[in-house]
PDB file of all heavy atoms in Angstrom:
ATOM      1  N   LYS A  46      62.064 -32.858  21.688  1.00  0.00           N
ATOM      2  CA  LYS A  46      62.630 -33.149  20.385  1.00  0.00           C
ATOM      3  C   LYS A  46      61.925 -32.386  19.350  1.00  0.00           C
ATOM      4  O   LYS A  46      60.683 -32.421  19.186  1.00  0.00           O
ATOM      5  CB  LYS A  46      62.567 -34.622  20.171  1.00  0.00           C
ATOM      6  CG  LYS A  46      63.008 -35.071  18.690  1.00  0.00           C
ATOM      7  CD  LYS A  46      62.855 -36.512  18.540  1.00  0.00           C
ATOM      8  CE  LYS A  46      61.464 -36.837  18.274  1.00  0.00           C
ATOM      9  NZ  LYS A  46      61.137 -38.261  17.854  1.00  0.00           N
ATOM     10  N   PHE A  47      62.624 -31.570  18.595  1.00  0.00           N
ATOM     11  CA  PHE A  47      62.021 -30.803  17.509  1.00  0.00           C
ATOM     12  C   PHE A  47      61.416 -31.622  16.405  1.00  0.00           C
ATOM     13  O   PHE A  47      62.044 -32.643  15.978  1.00  0.00           O
ATOM     14  CB  PHE A  47      63.112 -29.836  16.883  1.00  0.00           C
ATOM     15  CG  PHE A  47      62.589 -29.092  15.597  1.00  0.00           C
ATOM     16  CD1 PHE A  47      61.824 -27.959  15.798  1.00  0.00           C
ATOM     17  CD2 PHE A  47      62.881 -29.602  14.388  1.00  0.00           C
ATOM     18  CE1 PHE A  47      61.365 -27.217  14.768  1.00  0.00           C
ATOM     19  CE2 PHE A  47      62.420 -28.852  13.264  1.00  0.00           C
ATOM     20  CZ  PHE A  47      61.655 -27.686  13.458  1.00  0.00           C
ATOM     21  N   ILE A  48      60.165 -31.327  16.104  1.00  0.00           N
ATOM     22  CA  ILE A  48      59.437 -32.139  15.067  1.00  0.00           C
ATOM     23  C   ILE A  48      58.980 -31.305  13.839  1.00  0.00           C
ATOM     24  O   ILE A  48      58.829 -31.928  12.762  1.00  0.00           O
ATOM     25  CB  ILE A  48      58.372 -32.983  15.621  1.00  0.00           C
ATOM     26  CG1 ILE A  48      57.241 -32.173  16.287  1.00  0.00           C
ATOM     27  CG2 ILE A  48      58.914 -34.082  16.514  1.00  0.00           C
ATOM     28  CD1 ILE A  48      56.076 -33.014  16.659  1.00  0.00           C
ATOM     29  N   GLN A  49      58.688 -29.990  14.073  1.00  0.00           N
ATOM     30  CA  GLN A  49      58.137 -29.271  12.920  1.00  0.00           C
ATOM     31  C   GLN A  49      58.229 -27.772  13.149  1.00  0.00           C
ATOM     32  O   GLN A  49      58.134 -27.327  14.328  1.00  0.00           O
ATOM     33  CB  GLN A  49      56.670 -29.684  12.730  1.00  0.00           C
ATOM     34  CG  GLN A  49      56.073 -29.007  11.480  1.00  0.00           C
ATOM     35  CD  GLN A  49      54.710 -29.654  11.204  1.00  0.00           C
ATOM     36  OE1 GLN A  49      54.074 -30.244  12.104  1.00  0.00           O
ATOM     37  NE2 GLN A  49      54.207 -29.497  10.015  1.00  0.00           N
ATOM     38  N   GLU A  50      58.450 -27.039  12.078  1.00  0.00           N
ATOM     39  CA  GLU A  50      58.388 -25.583  12.061  1.00  0.00           C
ATOM     40  C   GLU A  50      57.372 -25.113  11.067  1.00  0.00           C
ATOM     41  O   GLU A  50      57.307 -25.599   9.920  1.00  0.00           O
ATOM     42  CB  GLU A  50      59.796 -25.035  11.795  1.00  0.00           C
ATOM     43  CG  GLU A  50      59.841 -23.543  11.811  1.00  0.00           C
ATOM     44  CD  GLU A  50      61.235 -22.967  11.709  1.00  0.00           C
ATOM     45  OE1 GLU A  50      62.173 -23.750  11.439  1.00  0.00           O
ATOM     46  OE2 GLU A  50      61.426 -21.737  11.894  1.00  0.00           O
ATOM     47  N   LEU A  51      56.556 -24.094  11.469  1.00  0.00           N
ATOM     48  CA  LEU A  51      55.535 -23.513  10.566  1.00  0.00           C
ATOM     49  C   LEU A  51      55.622 -22.084  10.644  1.00  0.00           C
ATOM     50  O   LEU A  51      55.838 -21.527  11.755  1.00  0.00           O
ATOM     51  CB  LEU A  51      54.192 -23.995  11.048  1.00  0.00           C
ATOM     52  CG  LEU A  51      53.857 -25.570  11.181  1.00  0.00           C
ATOM     53  CD1 LEU A  51      52.620 -25.738  11.955  1.00  0.00           C
ATOM     54  CD2 LEU A  51      53.692 -26.168   9.758  1.00  0.00           C
ATOM     55  N   ASP A  52      55.300 -21.432   9.582  1.00  0.00           N
ATOM     56  CA  ASP A  52      54.981 -19.912   9.617  1.00  0.00           C
ATOM     57  C   ASP A  52      53.523 -19.788   9.348  1.00  0.00           C
ATOM     58  O   ASP A  52      53.003 -20.212   8.311  1.00  0.00           O
ATOM     59  CB  ASP A  52      55.773 -19.317   8.434  1.00  0.00           C
ATOM     60  CG  ASP A  52      57.272 -19.070   8.793  1.00  0.00           C
ATOM     61  OD1 ASP A  52      57.570 -18.880  10.016  1.00  0.00           O
ATOM     62  OD2 ASP A  52      58.153 -19.156   7.950  1.00  0.00           O
ATOM     63  N   VAL A  53      52.878 -19.283  10.406  1.00  0.00           N
ATOM     64  CA  VAL A  53      51.500 -19.102  10.343  1.00  0.00           C
ATOM     65  C   VAL A  53      51.198 -17.715   9.804  1.00  0.00           C
ATOM     66  O   VAL A  53      51.446 -16.706  10.316  1.00  0.00           O
ATOM     67  CB  VAL A  53      50.759 -19.253  11.686  1.00  0.00           C
ATOM     68  CG1 VAL A  53      49.272 -18.944  11.649  1.00  0.00           C
ATOM     69  CG2 VAL A  53      51.089 -20.539  12.429  1.00  0.00           C
ATOM     70  N   ASP A  54      50.747 -17.709   8.437  1.00  0.00           N
ATOM     71  CA  ASP A  54      50.387 -16.570   7.722  1.00  0.00           C
ATOM     72  C   ASP A  54      49.278 -15.776   8.438  1.00  0.00           C
ATOM     73  O   ASP A  54      48.288 -16.366   8.830  1.00  0.00           O
ATOM     74  CB  ASP A  54      49.999 -16.899   6.333  1.00  0.00           C
ATOM     75  CG  ASP A  54      49.859 -15.655   5.404  1.00  0.00           C
ATOM     76  OD1 ASP A  54      49.612 -14.578   5.912  1.00  0.00           O
ATOM     77  OD2 ASP A  54      50.066 -15.776   4.156  1.00  0.00           O
ATOM     78  N   SER A  55      49.454 -14.513   8.621  1.00  0.00           N
ATOM     79  CA  SER A  55      48.382 -13.712   9.336  1.00  0.00           C
ATOM     80  C   SER A  55      47.130 -13.599   8.515  1.00  0.00           C
ATOM     81  O   SER A  55      46.159 -13.076   8.999  1.00  0.00           O
ATOM     82  CB  SER A  55      48.986 -12.285   9.669  1.00  0.00           C
ATOM     83  OG  SER A  55      49.324 -11.627   8.502  1.00  0.00           O
ATOM     84  N   LYS A  56      47.076 -14.108   7.290  1.00  0.00           N
ATOM     85  CA  LYS A  56      45.923 -14.037   6.496  1.00  0.00           C
ATOM     86  C   LYS A  56      45.080 -15.344   6.452  1.00  0.00           C
ATOM     87  O   LYS A  56      43.922 -15.408   5.933  1.00  0.00           O
ATOM     88  CB  LYS A  56      46.328 -13.691   5.002  1.00  0.00           C
ATOM     89  CG  LYS A  56      46.788 -12.339   4.860  1.00  0.00           C
ATOM     90  CD  LYS A  56      47.115 -11.993   3.435  1.00  0.00           C
ATOM     91  CE  LYS A  56      47.730 -10.608   3.389  1.00  0.00           C
ATOM     92  NZ  LYS A  56      47.687  -9.976   2.099  1.00  0.00           N
ATOM     93  N   GLY A  57      45.603 -16.419   7.111  1.00  0.00           N
ATOM     94  CA  GLY A  57      44.818 -17.679   7.050  1.00  0.00           C
ATOM     95  C   GLY A  57      45.369 -18.729   7.913  1.00  0.00           C
ATOM     96  O   GLY A  57      46.341 -18.552   8.563  1.00  0.00           O
ATOM     97  N   ALA A  58      44.641 -19.871   8.023  1.00  0.00           N
ATOM     98  CA  ALA A  58      45.037 -20.980   8.921  1.00  0.00           C
ATOM     99  C   ALA A  58      45.782 -22.014   8.174  1.00  0.00           C
ATOM    100  O   ALA A  58      45.612 -22.261   6.964  1.00  0.00           O
ATOM    101  CB  ALA A  58      43.729 -21.573   9.439  1.00  0.00           C
ATOM    102  N   ILE A  59      46.681 -22.713   8.885  1.00  0.00           N
ATOM    103  CA  ILE A  59      47.344 -23.943   8.347  1.00  0.00           C
ATOM    104  C   ILE A  59      47.327 -24.941   9.475  1.00  0.00           C
ATOM    105  O   ILE A  59      47.031 -24.688  10.603  1.00  0.00           O
ATOM    106  CB  ILE A  59      48.855 -23.588   8.011  1.00  0.00           C
ATOM    107  CG1 ILE A  59      49.600 -23.126   9.196  1.00  0.00           C
ATOM    108  CG2 ILE A  59      48.915 -22.687   6.791  1.00  0.00           C
ATOM    109  CD1 ILE A  59      51.063 -23.017   8.887  1.00  0.00           C
ATOM    110  N   SER A  60      47.556 -26.162   9.150  1.00  0.00           N
ATOM    111  CA  SER A  60      47.559 -27.236  10.108  1.00  0.00           C
ATOM    112  C   SER A  60      48.900 -27.926  10.149  1.00  0.00           C
ATOM    113  O   SER A  60      49.701 -27.871   9.196  1.00  0.00           O
ATOM    114  CB  SER A  60      46.526 -28.324   9.697  1.00  0.00           C
ATOM    115  OG  SER A  60      45.223 -27.855   9.791  1.00  0.00           O
ATOM    116  N   THR A  61      49.186 -28.638  11.215  1.00  0.00           N
ATOM    117  CA  THR A  61      50.395 -29.428  11.236  1.00  0.00           C
ATOM    118  C   THR A  61      50.351 -30.435  10.127  1.00  0.00           C
ATOM    119  O   THR A  61      49.264 -30.886   9.901  1.00  0.00           O
ATOM    120  CB  THR A  61      50.638 -30.054  12.715  1.00  0.00           C
ATOM    121  OG1 THR A  61      49.568 -30.864  12.968  1.00  0.00           O
ATOM    122  CG2 THR A  61      50.909 -29.058  13.723  1.00  0.00           C
ATOM    123  N   THR A  62      51.444 -30.827   9.623  1.00  0.00           N
ATOM    124  CA  THR A  62      51.423 -31.759   8.494  1.00  0.00           C
ATOM    125  C   THR A  62      51.185 -33.216   8.990  1.00  0.00           C
ATOM    126  O   THR A  62      50.781 -34.037   8.212  1.00  0.00           O
ATOM    127  CB  THR A  62      52.718 -31.699   7.726  1.00  0.00           C
ATOM    128  OG1 THR A  62      53.821 -32.023   8.583  1.00  0.00           O
ATOM    129  CG2 THR A  62      52.912 -30.302   7.040  1.00  0.00           C
ATOM    130  N   THR A  63      51.471 -33.490  10.183  1.00  0.00           N
ATOM    131  CA  THR A  63      51.197 -34.797  10.748  1.00  0.00           C
ATOM    132  C   THR A  63      50.301 -34.757  12.017  1.00  0.00           C
ATOM    133  O   THR A  63      50.422 -33.776  12.768  1.00  0.00           O
ATOM    134  CB  THR A  63      52.491 -35.594  11.104  1.00  0.00           C
ATOM    135  OG1 THR A  63      53.232 -34.808  12.063  1.00  0.00           O
ATOM    136  CG2 THR A  63      53.375 -35.779   9.877  1.00  0.00           C
ATOM    137  N   PRO A  64      49.467 -35.705  12.263  1.00  0.00           N
ATOM    138  CA  PRO A  64      48.698 -35.663  13.517  1.00  0.00           C
ATOM    139  C   PRO A  64      49.585 -35.894  14.678  1.00  0.00           C
ATOM    140  O   PRO A  64      50.679 -36.452  14.671  1.00  0.00           O
ATOM    141  CB  PRO A  64      47.840 -36.968  13.315  1.00  0.00           C
ATOM    142  CG  PRO A  64      47.801 -37.236  11.873  1.00  0.00           C
ATOM    143  CD  PRO A  64      49.139 -36.836  11.412  1.00  0.00           C
ATOM    144  N   LEU A  65      49.158 -35.253  15.849  1.00  0.00           N
ATOM    145  CA  LEU A  65      49.885 -35.357  17.073  1.00  0.00           C
ATOM    146  C   LEU A  65      49.326 -36.638  17.742  1.00  0.00           C
ATOM    147  O   LEU A  65      48.172 -36.795  17.968  1.00  0.00           O
ATOM    148  CB  LEU A  65      49.693 -34.171  17.974  1.00  0.00           C
ATOM    149  CG  LEU A  65      50.092 -32.830  17.383  1.00  0.00           C
ATOM    150  CD1 LEU A  65      49.927 -31.677  18.410  1.00  0.00           C
ATOM    151  CD2 LEU A  65      51.456 -32.837  16.823  1.00  0.00           C
ATOM    152  N   GLU A  66      50.296 -37.548  18.190  1.00  0.00           N
ATOM    153  CA  GLU A  66      49.965 -38.816  18.740  1.00  0.00           C
ATOM    154  C   GLU A  66      49.126 -38.658  19.940  1.00  0.00           C
ATOM    155  O   GLU A  66      49.301 -37.812  20.779  1.00  0.00           O
ATOM    156  CB  GLU A  66      51.266 -39.559  19.156  1.00  0.00           C
ATOM    157  CG  GLU A  66      51.088 -40.982  19.588  1.00  0.00           C
ATOM    158  CD  GLU A  66      52.357 -41.663  19.916  1.00  0.00           C
ATOM    159  OE1 GLU A  66      53.381 -41.401  19.207  1.00  0.00           O
ATOM    160  OE2 GLU A  66      52.338 -42.523  20.868  1.00  0.00           O
TER     161      GLU A  66
END
Side-chain angles (χ1 to χ4, degrees):
K46 173 181 76 170
F47 175 78
I48 59 171
Q49 188 171 15
E50 182 172 9
L51 304 163
D52 283 325
V53 180
D54 188 333
S55 59
K56 293 184 183 198
I59 61 171
S60 295
T61 56
T62 58
T63 57
L65 302 185
E66 187 177 325

